[in-house]
Amino acid sequence: MDLPSENTQKLPHVVVVGAGFGGLRAARALAKAPVHVTIVDKNNYHLFQPFLYLVATAGLSATDIAHPVRKILQGQQNASFTLAEVQEVDFENKRLHTPNGEVPYDYLVLAVGGTTNYFGNQSVAQNGFGLKDLDEATAIRNHILKMFELANQETDPEVRRAMLTFVIVGGGPTGVECAGAISELNRLVLTKDYRHLDFNDVRVILLEAADRLLAHLPAGLSENTAAVLQQKHVEVQFGATVQGYDGKQVTFQDGKTLPACTLIWAAGVNANPLVSTLGADLGRQRRVKVLPTLQLPNHPEVFVIGDAAYLEDGQGHPLPMVAPVAMQQAETAAGNIRRILRGEALNSFVYKDPGSLATIGRNQAVASISGIQFKGFLAWAVWLVVHIMQLIGFRNRLVVLINWAWDYIFYDRFNRLITPE
Ligand SMILES: Cc1cc2nc3c(=O)[nH]c(=O)nc-3n(C[C@H](O)[C@H](O)[C@H](O)COP(=O)(O)OP(=O)(O)OC[C@H]3O[C@@H](n4cnc5c(N)ncnc54)[C@H](O)[C@@H]3O)c2cc1C
């Protein structure tokens, strides 16, 4: 474990748990503060989750969307990294319990993110795929490609059709992106690989329990999204509530069934279960309720930010679980730690919504920014630029751009490898 050096030992020790969007930003915002910062994460990399669906659909490789935390911290003199999974927060002794030992803190920033919410549906959790980390994205890619290989050898047409039916549950941004990308992988790339397969058997089905996609966007953009997906050969089914999945067949609440060997669950997110152990009140999606200053009630030295934290906006709506919330809260939490050290009053968090963007696939996206709605190629170009800029590391940006340009020009996906898991 990297502990503060003798020179920095006298400085207050700020421990940031999580090197995601919120945690990294908080550590960086403390670069010039008179503190020592330790980032603790169970992985040694920062993951750019918005591009997970591209790893899952062979557009990018895992290394393109992850960046080593130690590399990111190289230029920050007052920061170090500890690889460990935090299991418990001991508020009384101001220590974190991890399997590798204890980590003492003076101030704590919990930025542990979220986890897939299967709504207690064990059969879906066991037999379907979530899309929250690199392992899951790689497993989806391997599985899709394996299904094509097996279907190519299958003589029973019913079984073959089930192998070539890809079901995505959840009409939010992840479900929409995933459905569009899988359909494009099938129609633009794999048709060239599997010349003897009948692509009329290949189905991509997006299931949404409500009556529209991308419910956080204006209705017109939701309708456009459904229309574009249908043009891209995605079947969109509304009012479809999944009751169970055994790996071969989806069962719906109304008793109907759908044979399918692939189900990707993009229908819900909860806060990381660590925050349920803090003994504090929980809000929707099991996020921990924080004060407007982002402090944990009764623990002024502990801040919770990002997907793990529950806070409402001025209209009483919960803040969304998106990267801009996590990054803006990181700035506020870091600022408030500096204010505590200076003996000043703390600031309340106010979210500045930068707008929403969602891509539906090649040349197609929808956007709502500052009340202006746009769609199609322009929205797609904006989506591309915004996301490339957010990616950490020049190498990653360059590799992603080159990959993209190649795929765009040649209708190709270079990462269609079935790798050992
Ligand atoms: C597939 C997908 C696509 C998305 N697309 C978008 C998008 O396009 N735009 C957008 O704004 N948002 C998007 N999001 C949401 C966005 O990624 C999250 O809102 C954001 O990552 C939240 O930041 P965070 O810092 O709270 O948590 P995270 O970024 O999730 O970071 C949490 C970190 O904590 C670490 N950690 C967790 N538990 C422990 C533990 N016990 N001990 C130590 N370390 C731990 C994890 O390893 C991780 O590094 C997407 C999410 C997913 C899953």
Side-chain angles (χ1 to χ4, degrees):
M1 192 172 301
D2 284 357
L3 285 173
S5 68
E6 257 183 47
N7 288 344
T8 56
Q9 252 171 9
K10 295 178 204 92
L11 294 174
H13 188 204
V14 180
V15 174
V16 178
V17 186
F21 284 101
L24 267 194
R25 182 62 72 98
R28 284 172 159 180
L30 290 166
K32 296 203 168 82
V35 296
H36 184 83
V37 182
T38 301
I39 295 190
V40 181
D41 200 296
K42 60 183 178 177
N43 297 314
N44 78 333
Y45 54 81
H46 165 81
L47 176 64
F48 192 74
Q49 293 177 25
F51 283 174
L52 274 174
Y53 82 96
L54 287 165
V55 174
T57 54
L60 293 174
S61 75
T63 49
D64 301 338
I65 68 162
H67 209 69
V69 181
R70 284 185 185 274
K71 167 86 182 157
I72 296 167
L73 294 182
Q74 270 174 8
Q76 188 169 337
Q77 293 306 318
N78 74 339
S80 54
F81 174 68
T82 295
L83 179 72
E85 177 158 10
V86 175
Q87 293 174 322
E88 199 188 330
V89 181
D90 175 354
F91 292 113
E92 209 180 314
N93 299 303
K94 293 193 184 169
R95 277 168 189 277
L96 303 175
H97 294 289
T98 84
N100 319 347
E102 297 193 339
V103 183
Y105 64 83
D106 297 307
Y107 297 95
L108 180 63
V109 180
L110 286 174
V112 285
T115 182
T116 304
N117 178 8
Y118 292 98
F119 299 96
N121 196 325
Q122 288 304 318
S123 65
V124 173
Q126 272 159 23
N127 301 306
F129 293 92
L131 185 56
K132 206 72 186 85
D133 58 33
L134 280 180
D135 291 353
E136 289 176 324
T138 309
I140 292 174
R141 183 195 66 208
N142 283 341
H143 179 82
I144 292 174
L145 298 172
K146 227 179 266 173
M147 284 302 110
F148 272 90
E149 288 298 338
L150 294 178
N152 204 35
Q153 300 164 36
E154 181 57 55
T155 49
D156 182 333
E158 292 291 312
V159 178
R160 190 169 57 239
R161 273 195 285 276
M163 286 171 171
L164 295 175
T165 300
F166 302 94
V167 173
I168 299 103
V169 187
T174 302
V176 165
E177 285 167 358
C178 229
I182 292 178
S183 192
E184 287 182 350
L185 171 69
N186 298 346
R187 303 272 156 185
L188 304 180
V189 183
L190 298 182
T191 36
K192 294 181 276 187
D193 286 356
Y194 299 93
R195 292 190 305 277
H196 303 297
L197 264 185
D198 180 359
F199 272 71
N200 289 318
D201 285 346
V202 180
R203 296 175 75 192
V204 178
I205 304 172
L206 178 61
L207 303 176
E208 167 55 48
D211 58 0
R212 59 183 279 209
L213 303 175
L214 303 179
H216 62 295
L217 289 176
L221 294 182
S222 298
E223 283 160 25
N224 174 261
T225 303
V228 170
L229 280 174
Q230 273 148 11
Q231 283 161 21
K232 289 181 183 285
H233 304 276
V234 176
E235 300 170 39
V236 183
Q237 295 183 13
F238 294 108
T241 309
V242 172
Q243 193 178 53
Y245 180 59
D246 64 4
K248 295 203 170 113
Q249 179 168 275
V250 186
T251 309
F252 294 93
Q253 218 166 47
D254 60 9
K256 287 188 184 142
T257 56
L258 170 68
C261 294
T262 309
L263 181 144
I264 299 169
W265 185 260
V269 190
N270 270 344
N272 187 303
L274 182 69
V275 301
S276 304
T277 68
L278 301 177
D281 286 346
L282 300 180
R284 272 169 57 180
Q285 292 159 297
R286 304 190 65 74
R287 301 161 82 184
V288 68
K289 288 189 177 173
V290 291
L291 302 174
T293 53
L294 305 175
Q295 288 162 300
L296 202 58
N298 306 321
H299 296 286
E301 73 287 5
V302 179
F303 294 79
V304 188
I305 60 171
D307 284 3
Y310 181 90
L311 193 66
E312 292 173 356
D313 64 14
Q315 284 77 49
H317 303 124
L319 291 174
M321 291 165 96
V322 291
V325 170
M327 293 191 288
Q328 291 179 30
Q329 288 187 336
E331 297 282 352
T332 301
N336 279 343
I337 290 174
R338 289 196 303 262
R339 284 169 177 275
I340 292 175
L341 295 173
R342 293 195 299 259
E344 295 172 5
L346 304 198
N347 282 338
S348 291
F349 177 71
V350 181
Y351 180 48
K352 295 179 199 73
D353 186 352
S356 296
L357 282 161
T359 179
I360 320 167
R362 193 183 174 82
N363 295 340
Q364 290 289 349
V366 286
S368 175
I369 298 172
S370 305
I372 302 168
Q373 297 160 31
F374 51 110
K375 56 187 196 239
F377 183 78
L378 177 63
W380 183 73
V382 172
W383 178 90
L384 198 80
V385 172
V386 166
H387 283 78
I388 292 280
M389 275 166 48
Q390 283 179 350
L391 203 60
I392 289 182
F394 178 72
R395 179 202 162 274
N396 284 17
R397 284 190 198 137
L398 190 67
V399 169
V400 168
L401 266 180
I402 292 170
N403 255 282
W404 234 315
W406 182 279
D407 294 357
Y408 191 81
I409 295 166
F410 297 107
Y411 291 84
D412 208 347
R413 302 265 175 104
F414 245 78
N415 297 287
R416 47 188 199 281
L417 309 176
I418 301 173
T419 53
E421 286 172 36

